[in-house]
Amino acid sequence: MTGGKANFKIVLVSIMNVGNSYGRMLAGFASERYKSSIHRPTWFVLALAAMCFAQATLAVSQTIQSLSMLLLGTTIMGLSYGAFWALSPTICAELFGTAHYGANYALLNLAPASGGYFVSVCIAGYLYDYFGTKDSEGKINCSGSRCFEYTFCIAAGLSFVGMLSSLLLRRNAIQWYATTAGIAQTE
């Protein structure tokens, strides 16, 4: 697991994308099917818990050099990521209304865009450069678990913070769902 073969990298990206597709379908179906008993912010909390678990699994896969853990983490990450994109538009419309839906949803999309940039460029890029070594051409190469292990740990921590934030949203939305949407939480 020191960089891997190009074909295996394609397999991992494919697994994540298939998981993303299934995550969208599963979260959309489940949140609609069970909307009378479980409101959507609860599904979002579950998706974030799964993402936290996936990132932790990916960090462990780097430490113990486990291919099966890498595949498991990648699959769960794809499912979770797909669930976010299926749930976000509906939660936005339900909680903030449809009058200014475009502006509200665009504002919500700043979070994954800015967070993705921050984690991938600032954190992952910095750690890769920090643990890597320069070759004769001046390019930095990094091999081994330390290149991405800390990045996955930080991403797991950020997912946990997101889960806590979503728990607050869920708590504050319970009253709205009970009065406006007529949905009582039965969990």
Side-chain angles (χ1 to χ4, degrees):
M1 289 190 32
T2 58
K5 296 182 180 181
N7 290 343
F8 188 69
K9 292 174 188 176
I10 293 169
V11 169
L12 286 175
V13 170
S14 298
I15 287 172
M16 191 184 128
N17 287 331
V18 169
N20 184 339
S21 298
Y22 279 110
R24 290 174 192 235
M25 291 185 282
L26 290 171
F29 173 78
S31 70
E32 187 64 26
R33 171 73 171 88
Y34 299 105
K35 71 180 178 182
S36 63
S37 59
I38 303 172
H39 46 75
R40 284 182 178 85
T42 303
W43 292 106
F44 204 77
V45 169
L46 294 173
L48 276 161
M51 179 61 85
C52 185
F53 175 76
Q55 295 296 333
T57 302
L58 290 169
V60 169
S61 77
Q62 298 298 300
T63 303
I64 64 172
Q65 301 287 302
S66 171
L67 183 62
S68 59
M69 295 286 282
L70 181 63
L71 293 170
L72 175 67
T74 302
T75 303
I76 295 171
M77 182 176 61
L79 289 167
S80 302
Y81 192 69
F84 300 152
W85 288 108
L87 295 168
S88 294
T90 310
I91 291 173
C92 179
E94 286 178 351
L95 297 181
F96 302 113
T98 57
H100 302 287
Y101 176 76
N104 290 335
Y105 189 60
L107 190 61
L108 283 175
N109 280 332
L110 287 176
S114 58
Y117 175 81
F118 176 72
V119 171
S120 66
V121 173
C122 299
I123 296 175
Y126 171 78
L127 291 173
Y128 186 89
D129 290 347
Y130 180 79
F131 289 115
T133 56
K134 285 188 179 182
D135 63 11
S136 61
E137 298 173 0
K139 293 182 183 178
I140 297 177
N141 293 311
C142 190
S143 61
S145 64
R146 62 179 189 228
C147 300
F148 296 106
E149 178 183 14
Y150 295 114
T151 302
F152 288 132
C153 289
I154 292 168
L158 292 172
S159 296
F160 185 76
V161 169
M163 186 180 70
L164 294 178
S165 300
S166 294
L167 281 170
L168 289 174
L169 171 68
R170 179 190 172 278
R171 188 189 72 191
N172 293 335
I174 287 174
Q175 184 64 34
W176 180 88
Y177 277 100
T179 57
T180 308
I183 300 171
Q185 190 73 26
T186 59
E187 321 175 0

